[in-house]
Amino acid sequence: MLPEFLLPETTIREGGAGPDLSLGGRACDTLLITLGITRIIEQESIDISIWGSADGTDWGAKPLAAFPQKFYCGTYQIVLDLSEHPNVKYLRAQWQASRWGKGEPKPLFAVYLFVQAMDHEAVAAAGA
């Protein structure tokens, strides 16, 4: 099933959530999530979190993981360990965007999120 886009490249102007991604018969408990920010304007920030659900309806009270607040274009990665969340069968990204200063008051970001399974050797090397 993986690798797959959790969020295909999308223009963001306000807070929201992406589509649900089914993990199917997940074979790996450790996922590498890549955030790509390909367009941004000055004086704005974005907060992106990853949420999990057992049924695709109840997303819980807190995210499974979150990227640190971002202000610049670039590629960023986090590791998500699902071994502590064995019931999670769906993932979804949620975000909040804000802008301050002069000019257009609405933020403008172009972002994508890509998720892939990490192999056991890479996980072991990262922990060593």
Side-chain angles (χ1 to χ4, degrees):
M1 153 86 225
L2 297 176
E4 190 163 334
F5 281 97
L6 183 57
L7 180 68
E9 188 161 13
T10 302
T11 298
I12 293 174
R13 304 283 323 232
E14 59 192 11
D20 304 352
L21 173 67
S22 172
L23 295 176
R26 97 178 173 220
C28 181
D29 284 332
T30 307
L31 303 176
L32 180 65
I33 301 175
T34 302
L35 164 64
I37 302 175
T38 59
R39 183 174 180 201
I40 194 169
I41 53 178
E42 64 182 4
Q43 298 178 321
E44 65 180 0
S45 65
I46 190 164
D47 293 284
I48 298 180
S49 54
I50 309 301
W51 294 73
S53 173
D55 58 9
T57 303
D58 179 8
W59 294 93
K62 63 180 189 171
L64 301 174
F67 285 88
Q69 189 173 60
K70 299 299 178 197
F71 304 91
Y72 303 103
C73 288
T75 304
Y76 309 93
Q77 294 183 319
I78 58 173
V79 174
L80 174 56
D81 182 2
L82 291 176
S83 64
E84 298 174 13
H85 309 280
N87 295 333
V88 169
K89 303 224 182 325
Y90 299 90
L91 293 179
R92 176 170 78 182
Q94 294 184 25
W95 56 85
Q96 289 296 321
S98 62
R99 177 139 166 64
W100 61 90
K102 297 186 266 181
E104 170 68 38
K106 288 187 98 171
L108 175 65
F109 290 90
V111 303
Y112 66 85
L113 286 161
F114 190 75
V115 61
Q116 62 194 72
M118 286 187 70
D119 63 37
H120 296 293
E121 292 84 26
V123 173

